[in-house]
Every structure is written in C-alpha cells, then in structure tokens.
C-alpha cells in the first residue's frame, strides 16, 4: 500500500454537531528561500476537503478537493507544481480545511455517524529542489469565519470575523498568537493521487423571476441544477441572511420536502439540509460556500427587504466534475429533444467527484444509479475519469465475506445487509465492462479484479435450494407499488450478468482460470432462471411484467429462437398498459432495448411521448428541467426531481435510433458464449457499426459520438414514407459497417463499409428503389 506521508496534523478544535459545530480551521506555514528553485512540488490532502494558497494565491484544483472518499479505505492526495508561485525570501503556505466525510455533522443521510470521525486532518509534503518538509507541529492554526460546514447540512459564514485574520495569507503576517497544530494518527486508507477531473463551474445563471412569499424572497433561476449560490452584496454589517432551497413549487408555493433531508433543525440552522447562513461585514462582499454545494432551482432568502432583493444580489454557478461533451442527439420531436436535455442536466448535477443519486438531500454514491447510467454517461460525456477514480473506492468497499454496500462511500458496516443487492452490486463489474466496451479502457477492470472474483463467489453463498438469489431491493422505484418483478428473478438474472461479464473481463485480463470459474457460475444461474422462472413454451418470464420480460430478453435468458415470441409478449404487456412505463430502475435500463430487439421502436416512441404519467413526456409537460427520480404524476408522492438513473433513454437515442453501435462484436461475444462456451475475438472500440431504427413519427434524427479512435456522425432524414437518407461522417481510425433500418434495403447492396457518405435506404415492401 502506498504511503506518501505519515504526518497528519489537526487543529485540535475537535468536531461538533448541529447544536455546537466547530469552525473550519486555518493552517499556515512560512519558509525562506535563498533563491528561486529549479523545481518545487507540493503533495496535499485534507480530510475532508481543503483550499490551498501559496503567497495569497489560491491554487486549489477545483471545488471540494481532493475528492469524496471514505478515508478508512482511500486517502486521496493532490500534487501541485508550486514553482510559479514562490519568491526569493519569505513564503507562506495557507490551507483551510473543511469537514467532508471526516468530521461531518450529518454523515450519511439517515445515519448519524460520519465515515471516520474526529478532527479535520491535513497532510502535506513540500519538495523544493529535493529538500522536503512535511506538515508538523510547526504549522500555525487559527479559527476561521466558516463557523459550520458540512457537505449535506450546509455552511455558516460570519464575514465580520475576517478582520481577526486579515492578511493571514501573506508571508509577513504575524501569527505569533496562533496555536500550533497537533500530530494525529495516520488514517488507515490507501494513499493515492486522485486522478479524477476537478469540479468546475460550467455555466452561470441569473434569476428569471423574483417574488415575495410570506417572510422570504424567492429567487427562481429557471433551471434545476447543482453548484454554488453566489451572493454579491453591500448589505450593512451584522445583517444575517439565511437561504433555504427547493426544486419544486407546489400549488405555486415554495416546496422543499423533496430535498430537506433528515438533518436536525435548530434555531441557528433551521433547515434539515443545505443551510446557507451568511452574516455581512458591510461594504462590497462576494460569497459562495467553500466546502459544500447546493442542489436547487428556487432559493428562498430570509433577511432582505423587497428593495434589496435585486436580480444582481444572487447568481447560480452550475458546476460538475469537468467532463467534455463527447456525444449528443437531436431529432424532429421536441419531447425527445427535451428528454435528452433533461438527462444531460441531471448527469452534470450528479457528477461531483463521484456519481451521486441527487445533489441535495443525499449527495450519495448509490451504486445501482451509476451502474444503470454508465452507458448514457459514457456516450454523452467524458466521464471515464470520474468512474476510474471512484472504482478504487468501490473495489475497496467489499467486505471480508465478499458483500458490497449499496452506497460508496458509506459508513463502516452500513448498507451491506440492506439497501443493496445484485442490481446495486453490479456496479463492480458493469462500469469496468462499459469502459472496456466503449473506451477500450481496462484500468477499472484491473482495479476491480480481486473484488469481482470475491463477489461472484459470495453470491454462491446466497443461493436458495433452487439456485436462485433474492437478497436485494429488486426493481426499485416502479411507478406503482408493489414491485411486480419477482425479486428472485431480477436478482438471479443480475448475478448471471455479473458473472458472465466478469468472465469476459478476466478473459481480457489474461486470467483464464478465473474467467472459466465465473463463466460456469453464470451458466448455472442462467440454467436456474430458465428452469424455475421462465415459461419456455410461451416465452414469458416470471411476473409477466415489463421489467421481468425486458431483463430476460436483453440479458440473454431467452434463446435466440425464442426472442420473436418473447418480444411480442413484451409488446402486448406495454399495449395493455396503454403505452405507459411500468418499470423501476432495473427495468428502465432494458425496456426500450428489449422492444427494439423485436423491431418495436415505434412502441418505444409511443411510451416516451405518452402525455399522461407515468411517462417521460409528462415530466416535460409539467416543466421539469432535469430528470426526476420517478414517473409520479403531480399530486402523487414527490421524490427528488434531479436524478439520472432513468437516463438510459439518452443512450437509446444515440445507439439505437441513430444506430451508432460501438464495439458491437464485444456484445456478440458475450451473448454467443452461451452456445460456444468461450469468448470470440472482437476488434474493440475502433469497430463501429451504424444500424439505425428511425421511428415512423420522426422526420429526422442526428447524433454523434466521439470514440477513442475517431468521431462518427449520423444524420437520418425521412425523404418520403418509403425512403430514408442516411448521412454518415467518419474521421479517425475507425472501421465497421453501415446497415439499413429493419425493413429497408440499400439500392442494390446489403450493407456498406463504414465511411463518409450519404446512403439511401428504401422500404423493401414498397419496392421504392426497384
């Protein structure tokens, strides 16, 4: 295990609670240089978070640095080149520490303990031309104006206290009355350099509407999102501003029950989560929180008058882990375009070092959410940096029995016996699998390799007498309770899928014995499902519902010759419900793809644009600006309105409607292994096939995706009822095929090689080109 430093220091202030919080401590260290150095680097971690300054210049890589981890498992460090900021003579390093998960007030939602507990810690090693000094008792410590900070509970800043430490970031500042830091025990987690992209501002919003409601002023920023509410004020000294947040209006009134969380409400901190308290020092001031962020659309501000409630008073910095766009979709239907945008915004809102479930009340790394979203995230955004770093925490979280928690990071011992299950634990294999499939990236697979084997072996201990597994949450969050898909079906199918994907990954990692073990486990799970839970005569999966049928179709439980009947059954189930979705988080990952396998893309389209809940169109019509956690209609139970786990529809737009199939042979190798007993060779992500499925209601659709080897752009245009034009643009080192939509033929040709050009496909029943 890497050990960068054993010197961890603290302020000695301890850590408090909501009634008696402790402030964020300031640390400073001065040192002299006889000359400018040739090289100078600094290695640092703050537990939980830090802000770093050299000679009054902040150089912190991004918000909430270094990362979000359980320090009992992973201690993330950042490395900086500090040479540009040093001067001859006296220099100073300044650090502010935030609570993070080390000294949190709330800890996990629904859990009163933090991940590690204890005072906030700083570790630092400065290397100047080979001379190294580390954090020790010579570092000076003082209180700060940040009187309370917690990732979920919020932040309290009293600007009047700035005068006590005015100039503390300057080398010549007199710190003789500051106390000395204390040496602490070293956290037990693995020390590693954080490779995840930093959290940065991606857009700044101004309010679109301001109005008074009771004793507060509501600012509407027009967009649900995640980031920092920024205050720009010249309010008089001593004025206390408190802000509550909401993502919803109920009957036109501020409604925060979807995000309030389970935290305590005190006189000082009246909101259950995301407290935003600022006390003015007078004069021009600008403030945003240092060690938390806010998820909201509406901000209700207390402590200002109607005259002071100007549009300039607040802005909203939308933030996320830095992820460049690498794919997108657009078509002739406004509803589908809106759903694409909702998915994109929800994804950005929930990528803050780790893939979270929601950006407000929880900010938790629920594992099923990331597993079902990995494809749409990788097709749309440069998200592998977040996934590859987070997988170190995921793999480290496996317990001695091989069980996985449903949330990473999580307090020790929590979520191993509840709030998890194979649909959640699949993240251990699903993300490495998708990174290999779409990016030819094996980094996460190598990290997860030991844990994957242990988990597959663990599932064997949870089987019943029929070889089935039923230990998890199942098809979480369906539109209607109770869950229709039997848990033994969804859990066992997920165990099968985990084992077979692990087998393929081990095969790619040149670990044939482990691959063979996992493959045999997978085959036994499939056999158990087919024997006990599949009506093979009628091709119906147990539960006779959307989720059961879709998972059995997509995850190769049905044999190839059974698919026609199985997909027809699924179509009938959907039609009986008048084209409404009736799946939870697991089923929604597969329902549209299962119907498309049967050639029923027009059925999928009807489900998406169905104006009546449960449907995506209902989300659009009621004014959502991010994907919601559920399909509940207005007047029903309201959950979070900013979740990404219903977002695989965006991937379906790109890889099915526009047909951009990256690495299609890998999926074929996985599926065909049921019959051949081995994994066939495949080309990898340099192979791209174009196989479009344009619903009849669309007159055009276009999408693009940037692979590791080049970019593919596809534009479909319905020239007339029996004629579709397929325009393809390819750059880079890519190869593959272009196939016509089902029911169509190219002019005298079955397929074309992947190349730039325009290709006309005609409906063969109409004889359009003949």
């Amino acid at each position: 295990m890497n050990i960068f430093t054993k010197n961890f220091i603290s302020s000695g202030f301890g850590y408090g609670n909501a009634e008696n919080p402790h402030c964020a401590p300031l640390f400073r260290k001065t040192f002299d240089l006889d000359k400018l150095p040739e090289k100078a680097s600094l290695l640092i971690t703050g537990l939980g978070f830090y802000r770093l300054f050299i000679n009054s210049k902040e150089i912190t890589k991004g918000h909430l640095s270094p990362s979000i981890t359980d320090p009992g498992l992973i201690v993330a460090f950042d490395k900086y080149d500090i040479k540009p900021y040093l001067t001859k003579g006296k220099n100073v390093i300044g650090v502010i520490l935030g609570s993070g998960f080390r000294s949190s007030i709330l800890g996990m939602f629904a859990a009163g303990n933090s991940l590690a507990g204890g005072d906030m810690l700083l570790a630092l090693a400065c290397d100047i031309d080979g001379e190294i000094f580390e954090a020790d008792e010579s570092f000076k410590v003082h209180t700060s104006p940040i009187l309370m900070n917690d990732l979920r509970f919020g932040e309290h800043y009293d600007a009047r206290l700035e005068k006590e430490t005015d100039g503390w970031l300057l080398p010549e500042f007199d710190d003789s009355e500051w106390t000395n830091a204390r040496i602490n025990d070293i956290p037990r987690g693995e020390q590693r350099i954080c490779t995840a992209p930093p959290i940065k501002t991606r857009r700044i919003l101004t309010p679109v509407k301001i109005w008074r409601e009771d004793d507060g002023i509501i600012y509407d920023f027009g967009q649900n999102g995640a980031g920092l509410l920024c205050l720009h004020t010249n309010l008089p000294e001593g004025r206390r501003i408190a802000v509550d947040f909401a993502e919803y209006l109920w009957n036109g009134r501020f409604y925060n029950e979807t995000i309030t969380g389970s935290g305590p409400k005190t006189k000082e901190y009246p909101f259950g989560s995301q407290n935003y308290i600022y006390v003015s020092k007078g004069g021009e001031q600008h403030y945003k929180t240092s060690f938390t962020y806010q998820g909201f659309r509406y901000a209700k501000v207390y402590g200002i008058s109607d005259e002071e409630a100007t549009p300039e008073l607040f802005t909203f910095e939308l933030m996320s882990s830095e992820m460049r766009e690498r794919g997108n979709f657009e078509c002739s239907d406004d509803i589908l375009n809106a759903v694409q945008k909702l998915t994109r915004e929800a994804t950005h809102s929930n990528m803050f070092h780790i893939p979270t479930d929601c950006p407000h009340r929880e900010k938790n790394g629920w594992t099923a959410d990331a597993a079902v979203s990995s494809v749409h995230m990788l097709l749309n955004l440069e998200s592998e940096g977040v996934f590859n770093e987070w997988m170190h925490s995921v793999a480290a979280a496996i317990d001695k029995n091989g069980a996985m928690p449903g949330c990473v990071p999580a307090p020790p011992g929590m979520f191993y016996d509840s709030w998890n299950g194979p649909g959640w634990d699949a993240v251990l294999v699903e993300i490495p699998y998708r990174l290999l499939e779409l990016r030819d990236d094996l980094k996460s697979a190598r990290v997860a390799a030991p844990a994957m084997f242990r988990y597959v072996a663990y599932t064997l201990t949870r089987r019943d007498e029929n070889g089935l597994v039923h230990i998890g949450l199942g098809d979480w969050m369906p539109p209607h309770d109770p869950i229709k898909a039997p848990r033994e079906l969804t859990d066992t199918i997920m165990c099968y899928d985990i084992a077979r994907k692990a087998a393929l990954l081990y095969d790619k990692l040149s670990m044939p014995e482990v691959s063979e073990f996992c493959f045999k486990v997978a085959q036994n799970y499939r056999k158990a499902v087919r024997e006990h839970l599949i009506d093979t005569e009628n091709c119906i999966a147990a539960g006779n519902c959307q989720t059961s049928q879709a998972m059995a179709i997509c995850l190769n439980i049905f044999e190839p010759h059974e698919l026609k009947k199985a997909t027809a059954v699924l179509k009938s189930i959907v039609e009986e419900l008048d084209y409404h979705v009736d799946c939870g988080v697991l089923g929604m990952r597969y329902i549209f793809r299962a119907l498309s396998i049967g050639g029923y893309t027009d059925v999928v389209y009807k489900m998406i644009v169905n104006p009546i809940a449960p449907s995506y169109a209902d989300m659009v019509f009621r004014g959502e600006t991010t994907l919601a956690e559920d399909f509940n209609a207005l007047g029903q139970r309201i959950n979070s309105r900013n979740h990404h786990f219903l977002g695989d529809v965006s991937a379906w737009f790109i890889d099915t409607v526009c047909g951009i199939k990256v690495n299609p042979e890998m999926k074929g190798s996985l599926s065909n292994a049921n019959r051949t007993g081995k994994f066939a060779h495949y080309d990898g992500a340099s192979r791209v096939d174009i196989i479009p499925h344009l619903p009849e209601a669309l007159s055009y659709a276009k999408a693009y995706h940037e692979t590791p080897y080049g970019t593919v752009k596809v534009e479909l245009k319905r020239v007339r009822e029996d004629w579709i034009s397929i325009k393809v643009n390819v750059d880079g080192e890519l190869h593959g095929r272009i196939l016509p939509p089902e029911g169509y033929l190219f002019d005298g040709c079955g397929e074309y090689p992947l190349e730039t050009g325009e290709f006309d496909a005609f409906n063969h029943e109409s004889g359009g080109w003949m």
Side-chain angles (χ1 to χ4, degrees):
M1 186 171 74
N2 290 329
I3 298 293
F4 298 142
T5 179
K6 294 184 178 180
N7 281 17
F8 282 76
I9 61 173
S10 71
S11 65
F13 301 159
Y15 72 106
N17 52 42
E19 289 75 23
N20 184 31
H22 288 174
C23 74
L26 308 179
F27 292 79
R28 58 178 266 125
K29 169 70 175 179
T30 58
F31 57 95
D32 292 305
L33 294 176
D34 295 333
K35 61 179 182 178
L36 290 177
E38 295 293 324
K39 295 181 180 180
S41 64
L42 185 142
L43 196 64
I44 183 173
T45 189
L47 301 178
F49 306 124
Y50 71 84
R51 292 177 62 188
L52 173 64
F53 305 81
I54 305 291
N55 293 330
S56 80
K57 173 72 173 178
E58 182 165 14
I59 63 171
T60 316
K61 70 174 184 183
H63 197 55
L64 306 183
S65 293
S67 189
I68 294 176
T69 67
D70 173 1
L73 298 175
I74 300 291
V75 180
F77 279 77
D78 290 323
K79 190 172 184 178
Y80 294 87
D81 176 8
I82 63 172
K83 178 185 173 182
Y85 312 103
L86 299 179
T87 63
K88 183 179 178 180
K90 198 169 190 179
N91 294 266
V92 64
I93 298 171
V95 178
I96 313 174
L97 287 188
S99 295
F101 282 148
R102 166 69 185 180
S103 305
S104 60
I105 292 171
L106 290 189
M108 301 289 294
F109 99 103
N113 60 322
S114 64
L115 286 177
D119 205 349
M120 291 166 258
L121 301 182
L122 169 67
L124 178 155
C126 187
D127 184 341
I128 300 177
D129 286 341
E131 295 291 327
I132 299 174
F133 68 83
E134 299 188 33
D136 58 20
E137 298 99 322
S138 67
F139 278 60
K140 293 288 191 168
V141 183
H142 199 277
T143 57
S144 78
I146 303 174
L147 300 181
M148 180 276 291
N149 75 94
D150 183 274
L151 183 63
R152 297 181 180 86
F153 198 53
E155 193 163 301
H156 179 185
Y157 189 92
D158 190 337
R160 297 172 300 178
L161 300 178
E162 290 177 4
K163 58 189 176 184
E164 295 183 6
T165 55
D166 187 33
W168 75 280
L169 292 170
L170 299 174
E172 61 272 14
F173 176 79
D174 181 6
D175 59 14
S176 59
E177 295 187 2
W178 287 33
T179 58
N180 290 88
R182 298 181 181 181
I183 295 290
N184 276 74
D185 293 337
I186 180 172
R188 66 181 183 274
E190 175 193 357
Q191 298 182 13
R192 55 172 279 103
I193 300 294
C194 178
T195 60
I199 296 170
K200 296 287 188 180
T201 298
R202 60 186 185 89
R203 198 161 87 239
I204 298 178
L205 303 180
T206 56
V208 298
K209 189 177 180 182
I210 304 171
W211 71 96
R212 172 169 287 280
E213 181 182 286
D214 302 330
D215 55 347
I217 305 289
I218 296 177
Y219 279 70
D220 176 7
F221 288 93
Q223 173 67 55
N224 200 0
L228 299 177
L229 180 68
C230 304
L231 173 65
H232 316 279
T233 180
N234 58 2
L235 294 174
E237 182 177 357
R239 178 72 67 85
R240 186 179 191 271
I241 295 172
V243 185
D244 195 5
F245 298 96
E247 52 182 359
Y248 211 70
L249 297 179
W250 182 253
N251 293 327
R253 292 183 61 82
F254 186 84
Y255 181 86
N256 67 356
E257 292 303 313
T258 65
I259 68 175
T260 191
S262 59
K265 298 180 180 180
T266 68
K267 182 178 180 181
E268 190 74 23
Y269 307 117
F271 315 123
S273 65
Q274 300 195 138
N275 287 275
Y276 183 109
I277 312 295
Y278 181 83
V279 181
S280 173
K281 65 179 178 181
E284 183 177 348
Q285 302 154 76
H286 301 276
Y287 167 71
K288 52 189 175 183
T289 55
S290 291
F291 300 118
T292 184
Y293 63 98
Q294 296 82 46
F296 71 102
R297 171 176 171 173
Y298 304 94
K300 189 170 186 179
V301 185
Y302 300 89
I304 60 173
S305 66
D306 291 354
E307 294 73 26
E308 292 166 336
T310 64
E312 297 75 27
L313 188 62
F314 288 103
T315 55
F316 181 12
E317 291 188 12
L318 294 177
M319 307 181 82
S320 78
S321 291
E322 213 166 34
M323 299 180 296
R324 185 175 55 85
E325 180 180 287
R326 79 151 46 103
N328 211 339
F329 170 83
E330 180 186 315
C331 71
S332 56
D333 190 289
D334 290 340
I335 294 174
L336 271 61
N337 293 335
V339 172
Q340 171 70 6
K341 182 180 178 183
L342 265 57
T343 304
R344 177 67 59 88
E345 291 297 328
T347 301
H348 275 300
S349 297
N350 286 289
M351 292 293 258
F352 276 65
H353 289 315
I354 64 173
T356 62
D357 61 329
C358 60
H360 30 68
R361 68 172 188 261
E362 295 186 25
K363 299 179 170 73
N364 278 335
W366 289 107
T367 50
D369 301 40
V372 299
S373 289
S374 56
V375 174
H376 79 74
M377 288 180 172
L378 287 165
L379 285 177
N380 279 282
L381 296 165
E382 194 177 48
S383 51
E384 63 268 26
V386 174
F387 285 138
N388 276 322
E389 183 62 34
W390 186 54
M391 282 305 296
H392 286 271
S393 290
V394 172
I398 195 166
D399 75 3
K400 62 182 181 180
N401 298 316
M404 289 292 300
C407 187
V408 177
M414 289 194 68
F415 307 122
Y416 287 90
D417 298 319
S418 62
W419 295 94
N420 65 343
W424 277 245
D425 309 337
V427 73
L428 185 64
V429 173
E430 185 70 10
I431 286 179
Y433 176 84
R434 297 303 174 183
L435 286 166
L436 174 61
E437 176 190 36
L438 298 174
R439 308 305 300 170
D440 277 348
D441 184 346
L442 277 169
K443 289 192 286 292
S444 281
R446 293 189 181 97
V447 169
M452 289 192 302
F453 173 77
R454 292 174 59 197
Y455 182 78
V456 171
Y458 161 77
T459 66
L460 298 176
T461 69
R462 304 305 304 270
R463 295 172 298 173
D464 66 13
E465 63 277 7
N466 293 321
L468 303 173
V469 178
H470 35 94
I471 59 174
L473 287 172
D475 192 31
W476 177 251
M477 274 287 181
H480 307 292
D481 292 329
I483 294 172
K484 294 180 179 179
R487 192 170 56 163
E488 60 266 30
L489 178 92
T490 55
D491 279 5
T492 311
I493 289 180
M494 290 308 302
C495 285
Y496 159 66
D497 193 50
I498 290 167
R500 69 180 185 144
K501 286 174 177 172
L504 185 146
L505 290 169
Y506 284 124
D507 182 73
K508 196 69 176 179
L509 291 170
S510 300
M511 302 173 68
E513 294 86 358
V514 187
S515 176
E516 183 179 357
F517 167 80
C518 291
F519 184 77
K520 289 180 179 177
V521 170
Q523 293 301 93
N524 286 333
Y525 279 132
R526 184 174 185 269
K527 180 180 178 182
V529 172
R530 285 185 59 83
E531 181 177 344
H532 298 287
L533 299 172
I534 300 295
D535 175 351
T536 54
E537 179 179 353
N538 297 299
C539 297
I540 298 174
N544 194 19
C545 62
Q546 290 184 15
T547 291
S548 296
Q549 200 73 5
M551 290 183 68
I553 291 167
C554 284
L555 297 179
N556 300 119
I557 299 301
F558 288 112
E559 295 289 353
H561 70 272
E562 298 169 335
L563 286 176
K564 183 177 181 180
K565 185 182 287 189
T567 55
V569 168
L570 178 58
K571 175 177 176 285
S572 297
I573 294 171
V574 171
E575 289 172 339
E576 288 172 5
L577 290 173
D578 199 21
Y579 300 98
H580 287 110
V581 297
D582 192 28
C583 299
V585 61
L586 300 182
M588 285 309 302
R589 172 64 180 83
Y590 300 107
I591 178 72
F592 295 163
R593 299 175 181 282
L595 287 165
S596 298
I597 287 171
Y600 301 124
T601 52
D602 290 324
V603 173
V604 176
Y605 174 81
K606 289 179 181 180
M607 296 175 75
I608 295 171
V609 302
N610 193 326
I612 301 172
S615 73
Y616 286 98
D618 177 66
M619 287 190 201
V620 175
F621 293 148
R622 70 182 182 225
E624 303 289 0
T625 58
T626 50
L627 279 183
E629 184 178 7
D630 56 59
F631 289 108
N632 291 338
L634 289 175
Q636 295 179 330
R637 179 184 62 188
I638 299 177
N639 293 299
S640 161
R641 315 320 287 172
N642 198 345
H643 262 61
H644 58 81
F645 66 23
L646 298 178
D648 190 67
V649 61
S650 171
W652 182 81
F653 292 153
I654 294 172
D655 66 23
T656 302
V657 173
C658 288
I660 301 175
K661 304 285 189 183
V662 181
N663 201 354
E665 290 182 323
M666 178 170 160
K667 182 179 180 181
S669 177
L670 189 70
S671 303
N672 293 332
N674 286 331
R675 299 190 303 276
T676 65
K678 62 181 180 179
F679 298 110
H681 170 77
Y682 53 90
D683 290 343
S686 63
R687 167 71 179 268
V688 179
D689 287 353
I690 308 300
I691 314 174
H693 297 77
L694 187 67
E696 288 185 6
L698 298 184
S699 60
Y700 85 90
K702 61 181 181 180
Y704 83 93
H705 176 66
E706 206 176 285
T707 79
Y709 308 101
T711 301
V712 178
K713 298 178 181 179
V714 174
E715 185 170 354
L716 310 175
K717 183 178 180 181
R718 194 178 298 280
V719 181
R720 64 180 189 228
E721 186 176 349
D722 62 346
W723 177 3
I724 296 175
S725 169
I726 305 172
K727 188 176 181 180
V728 178
N729 187 280
V730 183
D731 66 30
E733 301 297 322
L734 296 172
H735 65 284
R737 304 180 298 163
I738 302 172
L739 298 175
E742 185 175 359
Y744 285 73
L745 295 172
F746 289 132
D747 189 354
C749 177
E751 64 181 58
Y752 289 98
L754 183 67
E755 60 187 6
T756 297
E758 191 164 349
F759 311 91
D760 292 324
F762 296 90
N763 188 305
H764 65 81
E765 293 181 356
S766 70
W769 54 268
M770 298 178 69

